[in-house]
Amino acid sequence: MKKVIFATNNAHKLDEVRKITAGLIQLVSLKEIGCNEDIPETSETLEGNALQKARFIHERYGCDCFADDTGLEVESLNNAPGVYSARYAGEAHDAEANMQKLLRELKGKENKTARFRTVIALIWEGEEYLFDGIIRGTIIDEKKGSAGFGYDPLFMPEGCDKTFAELGDDIKNKISHRALAVKQLAEFLSATTNKI
């Protein structure tokens, strides 16, 4: 099975993506290849950041790899926090502080429509590919649930009466923005590896 590096140090993401790509590729983390460098994320777009991270790993390690960038885009905040979702309340990447800032910014606003977006940039046999997963929903006024990570306790996907943090990993991994993008990645890998 082909080894593919996933350019992340986020254990939650790694676990989520490993479950979806099981049997298609051997997913290797940055930790497993001994990469402890801070990979730059200086783009103003999710696509740009994902490509920047994938290219960084590909140039240094010469292996097939992919990277993702995810953002929560809130309609009434001009799609903020967007590309700054992980560091919305500062460089500490503090999920609790990020959620509190989001609730403060939305105070008094009627429109709480939001969407989560994940863009995956894959470098496979020297070619670059992008996969985009989007799930729409609403930001609720107080946190609910303890599963998941990031903004999950505040995000209620369309058609659900529970937040991502209440749904649990099994359901979230089927319907989430990342799941949708990874599913596209998995379909690509399945079609490609079956030709080999």
Side-chain angles (χ1 to χ4, degrees):
M1 206 178 297
K2 197 158 181 173
K3 280 187 184 178
V4 182
I5 299 167
F6 182 16
T8 188
N9 282 311
N10 185 318
H12 293 288
K13 279 188 194 180
L14 199 60
D15 187 48
E16 212 172 285
V17 175
R18 269 205 171 115
K19 285 174 183 165
I20 299 167
T21 58
L24 292 172
I25 53 170
Q26 184 184 342
L27 198 61
V28 181
S29 70
L30 292 178
K31 190 177 178 183
E32 289 168 308
I33 59 166
C35 177
N36 301 309
E37 296 170 78
D38 265 342
I39 302 174
E41 288 182 75
T42 55
S43 176
E44 292 294 310
T45 65
L46 298 175
E47 292 85 350
N49 275 342
L51 279 166
Q52 190 175 19
K53 290 188 279 188
R55 288 170 182 160
F56 181 93
I57 294 301
H58 189 260
E59 282 163 18
R60 278 161 183 75
Y61 296 91
C63 299
D64 290 331
C65 62
F66 66 93
D68 77 320
D69 201 21
T70 294
L72 174 68
E73 300 174 342
V74 182
E75 207 171 83
S76 63
L77 301 178
N78 295 320
N79 289 331
V83 77
Y84 303 105
S85 293
R87 51 193 189 277
Y88 193 38
E91 290 301 319
H93 292 236
D94 182 331
E96 182 61 33
N98 289 338
M99 285 189 282
Q100 293 309 319
K101 179 175 180 182
L102 180 64
L103 290 174
R104 283 194 306 275
E105 298 287 329
L106 280 173
K107 208 167 182 101
K109 293 191 189 297
E110 277 185 36
N111 180 4
K112 299 197 177 161
T113 302
R115 66 181 194 171
F116 263 123
R117 227 179 120 220
T118 291
V119 177
I120 292 175
L122 169 71
I123 300 179
W124 179 266
E125 296 176 354
E127 297 291 323
E128 293 180 351
Y129 303 88
L130 288 173
F131 307 96
D132 198 341
I134 295 171
I135 186 162
R136 297 180 197 324
T138 307
I139 301 300
I140 60 170
D141 294 329
E142 59 182 82
K143 296 188 303 175
K144 288 185 179 174
S146 56
F149 60 101
Y151 298 91
D152 287 358
L154 292 177
F155 183 81
M156 192 172 287
E158 268 181 7
C160 291
D161 59 358
K162 292 180 176 173
T163 67
F164 266 170
E166 292 176 296
L167 288 172
D169 288 347
D170 287 347
I171 295 171
K172 184 192 164 189
N173 285 351
K174 288 186 177 83
I175 67 166
S176 78
H177 46 294
R178 187 169 299 106
L180 295 171
V182 175
K183 189 169 178 248
Q184 292 171 40
L185 169 71
E187 284 166 0
F188 170 85
L189 292 171
S190 179
T192 309
T193 51
N194 285 340
K195 290 178 194 165
I196 295 169

